[in-house]
Amino acid sequence: MCGIVGYIGYEQAAPNLLSGLEKLEYRGYDSAGVCVYDGEKLNVFKAKGKLKILSDMIDGGKAVKGTVGIGHTRWATHGEPSDANSHPHLSDSGKFAVVHNGIIENYIKLKDHLIRRGVKFYSETDTEVIAQLLDYYYTGDIIDTVIKVLSKVNGSYALGIICLDNPDQIIAVRKESPLIIGLGKNENYIASDIPAILEKTRDIYRLDADEIAIITSSDVKIINTDKDEVKKEVQHINWDISAAEKGGYETFMFKEIMEQPKAFRDTINPRIKDNRIVFDEINLTPEQFKSFKKICIVACGSAYHVGVVAKYVFEQTLRIPVEVDVASEFRYRNPIVDDKTLVIVISQSGETADTLAALREAKSYGAYILSIVNVVGSAIANESDDVVYTWAGPEIAVATTKAYSTQLAVVYLLTIYFGDILGIISETDYKKYLSELRLIPDKIEQILKNKEDIQYFASQQFDNRDIFFIGRNLDYALSLEGSLKLKEISYIHSEAYAAGELKHGTISLIEDGTLVVALATHENLFEKTMSNVVEVKSRGAVVLGLTCENHPEIEKSVDFAFYIPKTCDIMLPSLAVIPLQLFAYYVASLKGCDIDKPRNLAKSVTVE
């Protein structure tokens, strides 16, 4: 969630740090800071609020001398947003500077231990404990000291460390929280995510758990906690740099909404060969898949909503029992899984803390793990038996759009692939599904061309206080995502309900002017959903109806109708989600919200 950058080389460090932090603003933060060695001491500059406040303070970095430094954007967990609680943190003696992503779970015990021994603290954060521990245990050998401190702390961390006695190097360490090393010519970098360094280098190392990197301007050495050297393969990032820039769009979110046809194609096309779906990356054999008694899906947030869609699609098509869990609940409910269970883990970043913990829980029971992630080499990808990458490219806006769509694309691919293995899908249906799948990007483009219709409706409804989304079956699954999109970027209270549940209490909340978004895309459930529309209309609701283009009669029941092209039922969510994303976007824009960086939210949630 927080952002880390580090620079060591021949250029002035502070401008490089600010540039990297700017590329990580999408991760969510409430304060920022840098620490640079000026040839004599470690100078720290930090400020609550937007990065621009810090940048103005140090004249875009030009006012800070030195070619070695670390920087950070903080999202408050321990201690309120403030200058004092911002990173980097200095040890009491000024010898160590630390930036940290993650949570030190036993920091109170460690802090009390140090205070009793006379160590003075200057913040409320868990991170400062690391800086003070480094000082306390320092014997003159920085690596021995780091290893000693790591043995004392429990929790998750990605750390960037500078020591005054070794100012020609940066120490980087990770456990759970992601951290990469960028490899340049006579300069090197650390960062918590690729966009921070993409303009500088495309060659990186990904640190694994409990690996320690000693980084100088000319060399990177990686060791483990036994001080054995670890050999790493250089990973080359082939993203188009424009994918991490706005490219003329007002926001990243709008750009990413518009990129969904391409992203969908990029996900499915490499896996369709000679009119068959081929997963070269999956090692799971047909015999293994046939042995599974059930499928469990675990994920968080929008990825969980993909899982809810997948439950309907898998059960309808494959006739296998499917459970879908919020990852943070799965790990604590003593789940019933074993070696006859396929666990599908979904995460955009591949680093989501609760999802990673759920994966490990499932593995401990002997389950087979197949993950759907976007980031190559991420923790979830590395710990899975099989991984299917979505190839969505960088997604910068906090509210996901194209990552959600590409995860759905993978769900459809897996459905057809597994259905073929089980012999459940006939050759005729196989061809039909494949044909419809290939047409989805074109149909998304068709919807996007009519975006002004949604924009107009949003202009009439952006000042609503409460908005309800209703639907049945897959429309209900999609309602969950539509509601989340709206609330996370517009701050409007919104709820999603299975339409049949309205009469069991929820309808009491409907009053004159309440907006209800009714999804009615499924042919065999259209009339039932219209009955629910009549119920809310009779109580004063204003209704936006979303249906397929073959149901113009919806206009008799709703105040405003938006149509999507027809496709096979299981793929309707990929089309219906587009107007819901656009509606949330336009409402938030009309309200003047910070769409790419909504308050209190982070792109990658790497703590529980």
Side-chain angles (χ1 to χ4, degrees), residues 260 404-405 408 478 481 572-582:
Q260 285 176 108
Y404 177 91
S405 287
L408 282 181
L478 188 57
E481 177 63 10
L572 282 167
S574 282
L575 303 182
V577 74
I578 307 300
L580 300 183
Q581 293 170 349
L582 289 167

Side-chain angles (χ1 to χ4, degrees), residues 381-582:
N382 288 341
E383 296 191 29
S384 300
D385 296 299
D386 280 324
V387 55
V388 179
Y389 290 110
T390 57
W391 307 123
E395 187 177 65
I396 306 301
V398 168
T400 183
T401 51
K402 67 176 181 176
Y404 177 91
S405 287
T406 54
Q407 288 164 358
L408 282 181
V410 172
V411 167
Y412 304 145
L413 286 166
L414 290 174
T415 301
I416 303 167
Y417 179 74
F418 288 144
D420 188 42
I421 286 175
L422 294 173
I424 288 178
I425 297 178
S426 68
E427 189 61 26
T428 299
D429 285 342
Y430 190 101
K431 291 178 180 178
K432 181 190 75 171
Y433 284 139
L434 202 56
S435 175
E436 288 296 330
L437 187 65
R438 285 169 156 160
L439 289 172
I440 292 294
D442 295 336
K443 293 178 179 181
I444 293 175
E445 287 174 346
Q446 183 180 335
I447 295 168
L448 290 172
K449 287 178 182 177
N450 296 320
K451 59 185 178 296
E452 288 79 11
D453 292 342
I454 287 291
Q455 185 177 21
Y456 172 77
F457 183 75
S459 72
Q460 310 300 305
Q461 299 294 329
F462 72 93
D463 57 350
N464 267 277
R465 186 181 63 190
D466 302 287
I467 299 178
F468 296 93
F469 289 72
I470 62 172
R472 292 171 177 267
N473 199 271
L474 281 168
D475 283 334
Y476 165 61
L478 188 57
S479 292
L480 296 169
E481 177 63 10
S483 177
L484 177 61
K485 275 294 146 294
L486 183 72
K487 71 181 74 170
E488 65 185 343
I489 64 170
S490 74
Y491 317 140
I492 293 175
H493 171 253
S494 174
E495 301 292 343
Y497 289 96
E501 279 292 290
L502 275 174
K503 59 182 67 69
H504 297 286
T506 307
I507 202 165
S508 66
L509 299 174
I510 305 298
E511 55 189 31
D512 284 345
T514 300
L515 176 60
V516 174
V517 180
L519 280 70
T521 66
H522 283 263
E523 186 75 33
N524 62 337
L525 294 171
F526 179 83
E527 294 299 334
K528 288 189 179 295
T529 303
M530 287 305 99
S531 295
N532 299 126
V533 168
V534 171
E535 289 173 343
V536 297
K537 284 283 290 180
S538 68
R539 288 153 178 86
V542 175
V543 179
L544 164 63
L546 177 62
T547 190
C548 294
E549 56 196 3
N550 60 322
H551 277 294
E553 68 270 26
I554 195 174
E555 295 180 23
K556 298 175 183 178
S557 303
V558 304
D559 298 279
F560 184 88
F562 191 88
Y563 300 98
I564 62 172
K566 192 75 178 76
T567 187
C568 59
D569 282 354
I570 65 171
M571 298 178 194
L572 282 167
S574 282
L575 303 182
V577 74
I578 307 300
L580 300 183
Q581 293 170 349
L582 289 167

Side-chain angles (χ1 to χ4, degrees), residues 168-183:
D168 59 344
Q169 62 186 29
I170 297 173
I171 307 299
V173 190
R174 70 149 292 193
K175 178 184 178 184
E176 311 297 354
S177 296
L179 197 62
I180 62 173
I181 300 166
L183 307 173

Side-chain angles (χ1 to χ4, degrees), residues 356-370:
L356 181 59
L359 180 158
R360 291 169 177 166
E361 180 79 2
K363 250 191 159 179
S364 72
Y365 290 107
Y368 194 98
I369 311 296
L370 187 155

